[in-house]
């Protein structure tokens, strides 16, 4: 049995994620991408932390999103949880996950996501980057929770190669240009994903938010982003430090917002507007997610 399936089989069958696994299994085989499908979209997703595995509606949304697309040949993901001064990739060979969180059920630190070897995707990546780009492979680094948590919900069989690319800067022009470099991968059946969270004001969580209240700073930032994304106003989004309401609270640090620019850069036309796939709030934080053609 696949090692991920072995670990998943140990989860209490009453747990919401165990029920999610049964739900996905009941959907039947997932049709694989072929060149006749054309380019896959690029995604920006609000990834959540391990409590995502307890949120049945959110898991259903992510699973439905994945099933609305052909099963990709591979996934290239940029996560808010790996910032670096230069481009790096995680190990192309199967290795342990990064459990970069604390304070949750110990179950989540024993989960596995043993995806196939990703050296072919690494070669595809290097082929589209500038010849002068130096990309270091961090052979001891596995996927962090900004990558494996949502992907385990979307592709729980762990049968799609995944390669994580570091987030090298928060300069929006540079990230848009990086996304543009990644655009040809979509034509090869690679799903390009920017993983963050539309609002991420963790220092400002309150008891009321944990109970479902949405603060103005989260709602206002999300509404501003939704409007600009819907209009394809990349310039407005790029000026988020000056233009976005509630920024100080919604993003006291910006690494959960800026992966969005990799996604937009990978779009065929970044100004064409986006298709929102998930909206709403989780403990008061906006989980808005979208795809671009």
């Amino acid at each position: 049995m696949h090692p991920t399936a072995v670990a998943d089989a140990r989860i209490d069958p009453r747990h919401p994620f165990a029920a999610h696994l049964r739900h996905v299994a009941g959907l039947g085989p997932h049709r694989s991408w072929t060149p006749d499908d054309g380019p896959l979209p690029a995604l920006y997703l609000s990834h959540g932390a391990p409590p995502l595995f307890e949120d049945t509606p959110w898991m259903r949304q992510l699973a439905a999103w994945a099933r609305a697309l052909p099963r990709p040949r591979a996934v290239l993901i940029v996560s808010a949880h790996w910032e670096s001064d230069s481009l790096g990739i995680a190990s192309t060979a199967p290795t342990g996950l990064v459990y970069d969180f604390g304070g949750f059920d110990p179950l989540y630190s024993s989960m596995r996501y043993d995806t196939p070897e990703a050296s072919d995707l690494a070669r595809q990546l290097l082929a589209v980057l500038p010849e002068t780009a130096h990309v270091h492979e961090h052979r001891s680094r596995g996927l962090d929770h900004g990558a494996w948590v949502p992907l385990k919900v979307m592709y729980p069989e762990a049968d799609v190669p995944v390669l994580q690319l570091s987030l090298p800067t928060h300069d929006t022009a540079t990230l848009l240009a990086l996304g543009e470099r990644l655009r040809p991968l979509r034509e090869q059946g690679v799903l390009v994903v920017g993983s963050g969270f539309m609002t991420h004001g963790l220092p400002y969580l309150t008891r009321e938010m944990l109970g479902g209240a949405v603060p103005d700073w989260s709602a206002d930032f999300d509404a501003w982003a939704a409007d600009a994304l819907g209009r394809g106003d990349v310039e407005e989004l790029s000026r988020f430090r000056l233009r976005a309401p509630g920024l100080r609270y919604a993003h006291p640090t910006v690494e959960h917002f800026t992966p969005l620019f990799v996604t937009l850069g990978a779009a065929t036309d970044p100004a064409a507007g986006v298709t929102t796939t998930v909206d709403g709030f989780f403990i008061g934080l906006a989980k808005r997610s979208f795809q671009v053609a």
Side-chain angles (χ1 to χ4, degrees), residues 2-267:
H2 192 287
T4 298
V6 171
D8 288 345
R10 301 191 186 106
I11 299 173
D12 187 325
R14 297 169 295 180
H15 192 283
F17 184 66
H20 177 73
L21 292 174
R22 293 192 295 271
H23 168 73
V24 173
L27 298 176
H30 189 171
R31 184 180 69 84
S32 297
W33 178 89
T34 70
D36 290 340
D37 290 309
L40 285 171
L43 278 50
Y44 171 83
L45 55 84
S46 293
H47 58 246
L52 169 57
F53 294 121
E54 302 168 14
D55 190 322
T56 296
W58 193 359
M59 289 192 290
R60 290 290 177 90
Q61 288 175 309
L62 291 173
W65 189 6
R67 284 302 179 112
L69 306 172
R71 175 181 170 273
R73 291 179 59 196
V75 175
L76 180 68
I77 188 164
V78 179
S79 159
H81 293 277
W82 185 16
E83 301 174 85
S84 65
D85 292 331
S86 59
L87 280 178
I89 56 174
S91 175
T92 58
T95 190
L97 298 175
V98 179
Y99 302 104
D100 49 340
F101 48 75
F104 301 117
D105 188 324
L107 163 68
Y108 303 126
S109 295
S110 64
M111 281 185 159
R112 297 187 60 156
Y113 195 60
D114 301 88
T115 54
E117 198 256 358
S119 58
D120 286 346
L121 178 54
R123 284 189 287 270
Q124 290 174 277
L125 171 64
L126 293 176
V128 299
L129 293 177
E131 292 184 3
T132 55
H134 176 70
V135 182
H136 177 69
E137 180 178 352
H138 297 255
R139 296 183 182 274
S140 62
R141 183 185 177 91
L143 303 175
D144 63 47
H145 86 264
W148 69 264
V149 166
L151 292 178
K152 188 172 175 66
V153 171
M154 297 173 78
Y155 304 103
E157 299 89 350
D159 56 354
V160 178
V162 179
L163 184 65
Q164 185 168 348
L165 180 66
S166 68
L167 184 65
T169 180
H170 296 304
D171 176 72
T172 58
T174 302
L175 292 175
L176 287 164
L178 173 60
E180 184 175 0
R181 285 281 183 174
L182 304 180
R183 191 180 303 168
L185 298 179
R186 298 173 42 220
E187 301 172 1
Q188 302 171 46
V190 176
L191 191 66
V192 176
V193 180
S195 176
F197 218 122
M198 188 56 71
T199 61
H200 196 252
L202 296 185
Y204 305 106
L205 290 182
T206 64
R207 183 173 301 173
E208 291 75 18
M209 291 169 67
L210 295 175
V214 178
D216 289 346
W217 51 261
S218 186
D220 291 348
F221 185 97
D222 179 59
W224 167 83
D227 176 68
L229 288 165
R231 293 185 288 106
D233 194 341
V234 179
E235 181 178 355
E236 173 77 357
L237 292 161
S238 295
R239 299 176 65 199
F240 71 93
R241 288 181 175 87
L242 301 174
R243 303 288 294 172
L247 177 69
R248 172 185 171 187
Y249 300 98
H251 289 287
T253 56
V254 300
E255 74 283 347
H256 279 75
F257 184 66
T258 52
L260 172 150
F261 294 99
V262 177
T263 300
L264 292 178

